[in-house]
Amino acid sequence: MIWLCILLIVFILQAATILLLEFRHPAKTIAWLFILFVFPIIGFVMYYFLAKEYKHRRKVRRKGTLIAEEVRKFVFETASIVSKPEDVCNEEFMHQHRLFGLLQNMPDSPITTCNETTVLTNAQDTYDAIFLAIEGAKTHVHVEYYIFKPDKIGTKLRDLLITKAKQGVEVRLIYDGVGSHKLGARFLKPLTEAGVEHHAFLPPAFALFDKRVNYRNHRKIVVVDGVTGFLGGINIGDEHLGEDVNLGFWRDTHLQVKGDAVYFLQHTFLTDWAFVSSQQVKSLEYFPKHGCMGTEQVQIISSGPDVQWDSILEMFFGAISVARRRIWIASPYFIPEDSIYMALKTAAVSGLDVRIIVPGIPDSRVVELATMSYLEELMQAGVQFYSYQKGFIHAKLMLIDSMLASVGTANMDMRSFFSNFELNAVMFDQKSIRRIEDDFEQDFKDSIRIDLQEFRRRPRIHRAKEVLARLLSPLL
């Protein structure tokens, strides 16, 4: 009897700890309490190692200030920054003072002009453009990926980085410790010997010991000579070229940027570099002055558990809230946060054209079940869901009217919103918006619209699995 009382007290204390630390995120709280209920004691050990609040750690709280202040000041003084919505060359955005106020006040994420962008659809075009840019590098190449695999395309990129380093070009590489866990010493040794500096972002063992294994660097960044940059959904791996027999064709989107927006790609990379290497970069050489590269306005938005703002979530919500005609979204992982869920539902009920593309061939069964749990109520409200059939869709896209488009690394899920380090580009130019629109139109053709009545006839056991997956979805 005494032991039962002791165990009950321990259980209550563990539950109270989770409630106290996770009160800002009710969905995560419920998920962890469910795990604790099913696996007493063990569940709390899992929570301790996987979910301890990242932003409470002193070193990581300072991560955003690791760039030298003189560098930050130089960047903001040098870049052409939009100061009012009327200066954005988009008639639909010119009157969006409220949305502009939100975007303008995001930390270290101004809207810049003097940019030229190229939307890169799928991996082959992306790899070709990245390799071409790196081959022409004169001063430095900065590379950062969530997944970097030691396969054919990974070896090809490694060897190119080695070649550039031997030519005297500074080469730096960041790879995520979990996402790129297959990179071994044998693969990395030639990089070291050639003078390529490389670091893992939170290696798995260190992250587990320091209770940060749940927080991953999901960014994909390439910066060449401080003038040309790349970001988007494509990692380094042969599966992106369609060589995964289970997933087949891999549909994705990346973005090439030239101009002032690259300053803020560089800013993000060097902040991450200072964190993983403890080397604060103070040189202004990485932010070269250049002539106006184009007329496009672009905003680079980074987010992560090291800052107080959930910038990408707030950008998504703000843009969805002011939409007047259409909201088109593509995401391989659709597990919306409550505010996004309600914003989409309200928009559809109001008569807007709300369409969402999700994978018909998923790479995670649990995530697929969690996604399915949101579909029925949203479809009842008028949201149209499309199941992509040509292969696996990994593109992370949002199109709002003809007002703006977003391309980047963030999925429409709670892991991207709260746990991962992410990076998105918001574009306002009609050329880029039309290109994203064309890609959406093709993706709709390669998809099957999910029928509400047919969806309702799915088996009860399937519904039960969806409920369980949705309960755990904040942790997926």
Side-chain angles (χ1 to χ4, degrees), residues 14-52:
Q14 291 174 346
T17 300
I18 293 174
L19 286 168
L20 181 64
L21 295 178
E22 298 293 345
F23 74 96
R24 295 181 186 276
H25 304 298
K28 286 182 64 179
T29 302
I30 294 172
W32 279 114
L33 288 176
F34 175 76
I35 291 174
L36 180 64
F37 179 78
V38 175
F39 304 105
I41 308 298
I42 296 174
F44 189 76
V45 172
M46 292 172 61
Y47 173 79
Y48 180 80
F49 279 105
L50 296 178
K52 198 72 176 292

Side-chain angles (χ1 to χ4, degrees), residues 127-138:
Y127 292 150
D128 289 346
I130 290 175
F131 278 63
L132 181 63
I134 293 175
E135 287 169 358
K138 304 298 183 184

Side-chain angles (χ1 to χ4, degrees), residues 204-225:
F206 173 77
L208 181 63
F209 178 77
D210 203 32
K211 299 174 284 295
R212 296 183 295 189
V213 74
N214 197 42
Y215 303 98
R216 309 314 319 166
N217 190 329
H218 198 236
R219 294 168 181 158
K220 297 93 178 169
I221 300 173
V222 175
V223 178
V224 178
D225 293 342

Side-chain angles (χ1 to χ4, degrees), residues 372 375-382 450-463 466:
M372 294 298 106
L375 265 56
E376 185 168 339
E377 186 173 352
L378 286 173
M379 284 194 290
Q380 287 174 341
I450 299 175
D451 181 75
L452 175 58
Q453 298 307 318
E454 183 178 344
F455 185 75
R456 283 173 170 166
R457 291 194 289 269
R458 65 198 188 283
R460 289 185 179 180
I461 185 64
H462 198 282
R463 292 172 181 263
E466 291 173 9

Side-chain angles (χ1 to χ4, degrees), residues 97-112:
H97 292 270
R98 182 178 174 186
L99 178 60
F100 178 78
L102 170 67
L103 298 179
Q104 184 185 40
N105 286 296
M106 289 183 174
D108 293 334
S109 301
I111 300 174
T112 62

Side-chain angles (χ1 to χ4, degrees), residues 10-269:
V10 170
F11 180 84
I12 292 173
L13 289 174
Q14 291 174 346
T17 300
I18 293 174
L19 286 168
L20 181 64
L21 295 178
E22 298 293 345
F23 74 96
R24 295 181 186 276
H25 304 298
K28 286 182 64 179
T29 302
I30 294 172
W32 279 114
L33 288 176
F34 175 76
I35 291 174
L36 180 64
F37 179 78
V38 175
F39 304 105
I41 308 298
I42 296 174
F44 189 76
V45 172
M46 292 172 61
Y47 173 79
Y48 180 80
F49 279 105
L50 296 178
K52 198 72 176 292
E53 190 60 66
Y54 196 83
K55 64 183 67 172
H56 289 169
R57 304 199 160 270
R58 182 179 302 175
K59 179 180 179 182
V60 182
R61 277 209 314 270
R62 297 203 319 268
K63 178 174 176 289
T65 63
L66 291 177
I67 288 287
E69 183 58 33
E70 57 266 35
V71 173
R72 184 181 181 279
K73 182 180 179 181
F74 174 82
V75 170
F76 274 83
E77 290 178 348
T78 304
S80 300
I81 295 175
V82 176
S83 59
K84 55 184 185 295
E86 291 81 5
D87 291 338
V88 176
C89 299
N90 184 315
E91 291 184 3
E92 292 190 19
F93 189 83
M94 286 180 179
H95 306 292
Q96 294 291 346
H97 292 270
R98 182 178 174 186
L99 178 60
F100 178 78
L102 170 67
L103 298 179
Q104 184 185 40
N105 286 296
M106 289 183 174
D108 293 334
S109 301
I111 300 174
T112 62
T113 188
C114 286
N115 297 295
E116 179 186 355
T117 66
T118 303
V119 176
L120 301 166
T121 303
N122 300 325
Q124 190 62 63
D125 288 347
T126 299
Y127 292 150
D128 289 346
I130 290 175
F131 278 63
L132 181 63
I134 293 175
E135 287 169 358
K138 304 298 183 184
T139 61
H140 66 271
V141 176
H142 291 161
V143 177
E144 179 172 349
Y145 278 100
Y146 172 62
I147 295 175
F148 192 127
K149 290 188 175 179
D151 52 16
K152 287 182 291 186
I153 193 67
T155 301
K156 184 178 179 181
L157 178 56
R158 181 200 64 178
D159 293 346
L160 178 57
L161 296 178
I162 290 171
T163 297
K164 298 308 295 185
K166 290 180 177 179
Q167 292 174 359
V169 174
E170 293 183 29
V171 182
R172 295 180 175 90
L173 168 65
I174 302 172
Y175 52 91
D176 186 78
V178 172
S180 301
H181 66 278
K182 293 184 179 180
L183 291 186
R186 183 177 179 181
F187 183 85
L188 294 170
K189 185 179 178 181
L191 289 168
T192 305
E193 293 174 342
V196 175
E197 297 183 76
H198 57 86
H199 292 276
F201 191 100
L202 299 179
F206 173 77
L208 181 63
F209 178 77
D210 203 32
K211 299 174 284 295
R212 296 183 295 189
V213 74
N214 197 42
Y215 303 98
R216 309 314 319 166
N217 190 329
H218 198 236
R219 294 168 181 158
K220 297 93 178 169
I221 300 173
V222 175
V223 178
V224 178
D225 293 342
V227 176
T228 302
F230 299 86
L231 73 156
I234 298 174
N235 288 289
I236 302 300
D238 291 344
E239 68 273 15
H240 290 273
L241 295 168
E243 297 193 18
D244 186 308
V245 294
N246 295 316
L247 299 177
F249 175 77
W250 188 290
R251 166 72 181 93
D252 219 324
T253 300
H254 225 68
L255 186 70
Q256 177 177 313
V257 184
K258 295 182 179 180
D260 288 353
V262 180
Y263 288 150
F264 296 91
L265 278 179
Q266 187 81 289
H267 184 279
T268 301
F269 176 89

